[in-house]
């Protein structure tokens, strides 16, 4: 399907028809297999995030406001809420530890998957694993297109908008509409309504505010709420994607708009294909530097004690976002290249345990962070990865550039590594046996006949601990 195939039709209607009418057999096998990996990864992130400060505080507030048990699962908590609030909590939890995928809306998995799971629990029919997969693939696709229509990541995020929150809500609405069986007109309304929930500013990076985590949850909540409202006959603006006053591009991208991107190669260039899985528990903009250090360490066999200096040559945008050396709260450390690189060197990994408070306060990390130096290269683009130079105390020095960090579609993590990550983070909440059962079920998702009873039920188990991961 391309834009020229449907002239003089509103973009929202074309996208709604794509959501509703795309047959399962039109989704490429490669996207189905990739979706299974991302669904497993996103659910793993969300289960782990059940013990996060953000998820626990958000749940407490909702309970205080009178939210009682509902019909949708709070992953890894053994509790239920209304579906829309479950999407809010689970989406926030999925982004809470920086474990979720990136390169879509940006964090499409933390938005689309929680909304889709909640929609299954709201549906009045059994939803098969394959139906769930199709909805997620379509949700990822719709989540990415508004960002590309804004001129892609660089201008939209550079203007201060967190695209996970501003664009992800459309993907959540699309996935929910597909699962709930909305009509084309209802889906068009849902996409229009989703624009009312577009929000999220990058000012959170200056103090490690927890609002960044909630951007994903709010987008999941808003997308599902949009689909539920549309099913009830609530209307949304059909001109939301047109070049009109008040339209999405007119408001969010007045100088960088690319409106053709909404429909460009629709049904041909599947946006899930560009999304990355994160092997490190930190902002994706820190990963290339971590990978560069790992590559050099593997090649030359040095240890943290051998390092005299780590020199990072970086673009201005990422330096402004990740060049600080703030350790607390944990959010700030996860957005810090100096900490992420230092922790990787000292502890041998930038996985989630390396961001615990005790490790952030380890004096060896502070000493290593003091050896990280930056040069801001204004010739680099916002999405250019840094160049890293490591100099040892004996004078030896090497330079490494990782243009595609580990986990990118062109540099993927193996299934073994993916499952190792899943077991590590889900094992914080569930027993080893429960974790293995969930992993097996998700990896065989195409064979599931009823997602609610075979998958959501596994997420509803009581956690083995309620101890929160200290911020």
């Amino acid at each position: 399907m391309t834009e020229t195939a449907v002239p003089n039709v509103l973009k929202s209607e074309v996208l709604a028809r794509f959501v509703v009418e795309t047959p399962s057999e039109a989704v490429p096998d490669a996207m189905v297999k990739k979706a299974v990996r991302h669904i497993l990864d996103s659910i793993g992130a969300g289960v782990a995030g059940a013990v996060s400060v953000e998820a626990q505080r958000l749940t407490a507030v909702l309970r205080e406001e009178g939210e009682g048990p509902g019909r949708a699962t709070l992953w890894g908590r053994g509790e239920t809420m209304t579906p829309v609030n479950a999407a809010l909590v689970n989406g926030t939890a999925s982004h809470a530890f920086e474990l979720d995928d990136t390169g879509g809306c940006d964090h499409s998995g933390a938005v689309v998957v929680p909304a889709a799971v909640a929609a299954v629990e709201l549906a009045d029919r059994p939803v098969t694993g394959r139906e769930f997969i199709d909805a997620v693939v379509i949700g990822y696709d719709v989540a990415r297109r508004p960002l590309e229509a804004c001129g892609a990541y660089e201008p939209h995020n550079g203007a201060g908008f967190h695209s996970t929150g501003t664009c992800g809500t459309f993907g959540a609405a699309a996935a929910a509409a597909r699962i709930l069986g909305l009509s084309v007109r209802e889906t068009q309304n849902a996409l229009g309504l989703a624009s009312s929930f577009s929000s999220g500013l990058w000012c959170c990076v200056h103090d490690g505010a927890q609002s960044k985590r909630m951007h994903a949850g709010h987008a999941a909540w808003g997308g599902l709420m949009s689909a539920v409202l549309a099913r009830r006959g609530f209307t949304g603006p059909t001109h939301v994607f047109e070049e009109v006053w008040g339209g999405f591009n007119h408001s969010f991208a007045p100088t960088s708009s690319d409106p053709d991107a909404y429909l460009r190669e629709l049904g041909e260039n599947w946006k899930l294909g560009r999304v990355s899985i994160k092997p490190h528990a930190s902002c994706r903009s820190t990963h290339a530097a971590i990978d560069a250090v790992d590559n050099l360490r593997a090649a030359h066999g040095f240890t943290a004690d051998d390092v005299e200096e780590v020199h990072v040559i970086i673009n201005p945008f990422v330096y402004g976002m990740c060049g600080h050396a703030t350790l607390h709260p944990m959010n700030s450390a996860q957005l810090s290249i100096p900490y992420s690189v230092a922790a990787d060197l000292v502890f041998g990994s930038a996985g989630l345990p390396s961001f615990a408070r005790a490790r952030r306060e380890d004096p060896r990390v502070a000493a290593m962070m003091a050896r990280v130096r930056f040069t801001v290269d204004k010739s680099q683009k916002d999405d250019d990865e840094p160049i890293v130079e490591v100099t040892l105390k004996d004078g030896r020095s090497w330079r490494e550039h990782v243009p595609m960090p580990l986990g990118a579609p062109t540099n993927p993590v193996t299934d073994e590594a993916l499952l190792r990550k899943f077991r590590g983070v889900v094992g914080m909440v569930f027993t080893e046996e429960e974790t293995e059962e969930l992993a097996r079920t998700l990896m065989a998702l195409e064979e599931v006949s009823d997602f609610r009873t075979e998958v959501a039920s596994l997420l509803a188990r009581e956690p083995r601990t309620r101890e929160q991961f200290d911020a």
Side-chain angles (χ1 to χ4, degrees):
M1 183 184 294
T2 64
E3 184 180 10
T4 56
V6 282
N8 304 318
V9 178
L10 292 176
K11 295 179 178 67
S12 62
E13 180 180 342
V14 179
L15 284 173
R17 290 193 179 280
F18 170 69
V19 172
V20 174
E21 298 177 354
T22 298
S24 183
E25 55 268 22
V27 179
D29 289 343
M31 291 300 101
V32 172
K33 291 180 172 57
K34 186 168 171 59
V36 168
R37 288 165 54 89
H38 284 266
I39 291 166
L40 176 136
D41 189 60
S42 299
I43 287 177
V47 171
V51 300
S52 69
V53 172
E54 293 86 351
Q56 296 197 35
R57 288 178 180 170
L58 184 55
T59 303
V61 168
L62 292 171
R63 294 298 190 213
E64 289 168 4
E65 293 300 314
E67 167 74 74
R71 59 190 290 187
T73 303
L74 296 187
W75 306 349
R77 294 183 65 88
E79 302 177 47
T80 59
M81 277 188 175
T82 60
V84 290
N85 282 344
L88 171 62
V89 174
N90 293 332
T92 301
S94 296
H95 191 41
F97 286 146
E98 291 289 347
L99 296 165
D100 49 319
D101 62 23
T102 185
C105 67
D106 182 32
H107 298 282
S108 294
V111 176
V112 172
V113 176
V117 173
V120 167
E121 296 181 291
L122 184 61
D124 54 9
R125 65 178 181 86
V127 176
T128 68
R130 179 53 196 264
E131 289 174 321
F132 185 85
I133 291 168
D134 292 342
V136 167
V137 173
I138 288 169
Y140 270 73
D141 211 80
V142 174
R144 175 69 188 183
R145 291 181 177 276
L147 179 56
E148 294 186 353
C150 285
Y153 185 90
E154 185 170 346
H156 188 65
N157 286 267
F161 299 114
H162 187 194
S163 54
T164 299
T166 57
C167 302
T169 182
F170 298 106
R178 175 85 176 198
I179 286 171
L180 295 175
L182 269 57
S183 68
V184 171
R185 176 59 176 158
E186 289 169 336
T187 301
Q188 186 179 17
N189 279 325
L191 293 174
L193 286 165
S195 67
S196 296
F197 301 100
S198 294
S199 64
L201 297 175
W202 270 114
C203 56
C204 54
V205 304
H206 301 298
D207 54 10
Q210 293 170 329
S211 60
K212 179 178 183 288
R213 277 66 164 120
M214 197 169 63
H215 293 167
H218 184 262
W221 178 89
L224 179 58
M225 176 66 83
S226 297
V228 172
L229 288 171
R231 188 168 67 163
R232 291 279 189 172
F234 211 106
T235 62
T238 58
H239 287 70
V240 62
F241 301 135
E242 305 302 317
E243 290 292 283
V244 296
W245 178 76
F248 189 80
N249 287 40
H250 190 277
S251 303
F252 282 101
T255 62
S256 60
S257 179
D258 179 14
D260 291 345
Y262 281 111
L263 306 181
R264 187 178 294 132
E265 299 180 313
L266 187 63
E268 299 170 6
N269 178 7
W270 295 88
K271 301 304 179 181
L272 173 60
R274 70 180 318 282
V275 181
S276 302
I277 287 174
K278 295 166 64 176
H280 312 301
S282 56
C283 175
R284 184 60 169 173
S285 293
T286 70
H287 282 211
I290 298 169
D291 289 349
V293 169
D294 284 346
N295 291 350
L296 291 174
R297 181 168 51 185
H300 303 288
F302 58 83
T303 69
D305 291 339
D306 299 323
V307 175
E308 176 67 25
E309 180 183 81
V310 178
H311 179 205
V312 183
I313 304 167
I314 195 169
N315 70 66
F317 174 71
V318 174
Y319 177 73
M321 183 168 63
C322 299
H324 62 88
T326 310
L327 297 180
H328 309 299
M330 189 173 78
N331 324 28
S332 291
Q334 290 174 303
L335 282 163
S336 168
I337 288 176
Y339 179 81
S340 298
V341 166
D344 184 62
L345 280 165
V346 171
F347 305 123
S349 166
L352 187 57
S354 294
F355 292 88
R357 178 173 287 272
R359 292 201 168 186
R360 278 178 276 142
E361 295 176 347
D362 189 313
R364 295 174 297 168
V365 173
M368 183 60 67
M369 289 176 67
R371 302 174 202 164
V372 178
R373 179 172 68 88
F374 288 96
T375 294
V376 177
D377 181 359
K378 294 182 179 180
S379 70
Q380 291 186 19
K381 297 178 181 178
D382 287 1
D383 57 357
D384 285 346
E385 300 294 354
I387 299 166
V388 177
E389 296 176 338
V390 175
T391 300
L392 303 187
K393 293 174 181 177
D394 64 10
R396 288 182 295 164
S397 181
W398 305 277
R399 173 180 284 209
E400 179 78 357
H401 177 235
V402 179
M404 285 293 173
L406 182 62
T410 55
N411 187 18
V413 295
T414 64
D415 281 353
E416 181 183 11
L418 177 64
L419 287 167
R420 186 165 56 248
K421 172 189 173 183
F422 180 87
R423 293 181 182 114
V425 299
V426 174
M428 293 169 49
V429 181
F430 290 153
T431 66
E432 182 178 349
E433 294 77 12
E434 291 168 343
T435 299
E436 288 302 318
E437 183 180 6
L438 181 58
R440 287 194 304 271
T441 303
L442 290 172
M443 289 300 283
L445 189 54
E446 286 186 81
E447 301 170 16
V448 166
S449 59
D450 187 338
F451 189 97
R452 183 190 294 115
T453 61
E454 297 177 55
V455 180
S457 62
L458 301 181
L459 300 174
R461 288 168 163 158
E462 289 280 348
R464 68 174 185 176
T465 176
R466 289 190 180 275
E467 179 183 358
Q468 70 181 30
F469 205 91
D470 192 353

